[in-house]
Amino acid sequence: MTANGNPDFQPGENLRDGNGRFIRDPETAAKDARAAELRARGWSYRRIATELGYDAHTSAMDAVQRAIRDACAGPAKAVVDLEVQRLEAMYDKVLDILERDRPVVSHGKIIYDEDGNPLVDDELKLKAIDRALRTRESFRKLLGLDAPSRVSVEAEQLGREISRLLDTALQPDEDASGDPDA
């Protein structure tokens, strides 16, 4: 049997992807699904471990959790795909609006420049750009493309200490009497 192009693969062998993460073979995935099925029937994790040959009840728990993740992955991907399609449709509409030139209208009348050409309403274009940016932001959030920003507590404390030292250094010098103008 081969897995991921590995001709030396043996069923049940722990395969790793290019990032060192564990890859389950179809046999292990089926065993995980069986563990979840037994758990759904009310079996204890210890009984599942004994039945399926796991070395510990925690291995049976892990198998059930993997099966649950697998079961949710398909429907979750379908929801994400649907939301991506909706955002793409919204983005396309915004681009259509952005490409059109709308004249400036005041009191129900089109405003013209000194050459007789209608003035273009830049405000509508700016609003369309804002909507385009918000739509792209929604894409990034949905797909998890924005890395969370993390600042350590030590960095925050260091920043406060630097601010305090700068404030002290920038204050006017005072002589021993406490009078800054002496």
Side-chain angles (χ1 to χ4, degrees):
M1 173 182 255
T2 65
N4 289 356
N6 181 356
D8 301 322
F9 169 74
Q10 297 297 316
E13 177 183 352
N14 289 343
L15 291 178
R16 304 272 176 200
D17 67 8
N19 296 321
R21 290 182 296 236
F22 175 69
I23 301 172
R24 288 184 298 152
D25 62 81
E27 182 180 300
T28 305
K31 189 174 177 182
D32 290 349
R34 178 72 177 139
E37 179 184 319
L38 295 175
R39 183 67 178 162
R41 290 184 183 176
W43 285 35
S44 71
Y45 287 115
R46 292 189 192 289
R47 185 173 173 199
I48 294 169
T50 301
E51 176 73 18
L52 298 180
Y54 290 114
D55 58 346
H57 76 281
T58 55
S59 297
M61 291 171 63
D62 292 341
V64 170
Q65 289 174 352
R66 285 190 302 266
I68 291 169
R69 276 194 306 270
D70 287 350
C72 294
K77 183 174 179 344
V79 169
V80 169
D81 289 346
L82 177 64
E83 289 300 317
V84 165
Q85 289 173 0
R86 288 176 177 166
L87 286 169
E88 285 174 343
M90 284 182 224
Y91 189 72
D92 289 344
K93 290 279 187 191
V94 168
L95 290 181
D96 288 344
I97 292 168
L98 190 56
E99 289 174 359
R100 289 187 231 135
D101 286 334
R102 302 275 187 193
V104 174
V105 177
S106 178
H107 302 294
K109 294 183 180 183
I110 296 175
I111 306 299
Y112 297 92
D113 64 14
E114 53 275 348
D115 296 329
N117 299 316
L119 289 177
V120 176
D121 191 345
D122 291 332
E123 184 65 29
L124 290 176
K125 286 196 179 268
L126 291 172
K127 286 181 181 179
I129 289 169
D130 183 54
R131 293 288 170 94
L133 290 172
R134 287 177 29 205
T135 304
R136 299 312 299 172
E137 182 179 305
S138 295
F139 268 112
R140 290 191 317 272
K141 284 181 182 177
L142 177 67
L143 300 175
L145 299 177
D146 288 340
S149 60
R150 297 187 315 194
V151 178
S152 70
V153 172
E154 293 86 10
E156 288 179 7
Q157 290 171 343
L158 182 61
R160 284 194 295 271
E161 181 65 16
I162 290 170
S163 292
R164 187 188 64 75
L165 290 171
L166 283 173
D167 288 345
T168 302
L170 296 176
Q171 288 178 354
D173 288 336
E174 295 182 15
D175 67 355
S177 68
D179 183 6
D181 295 326

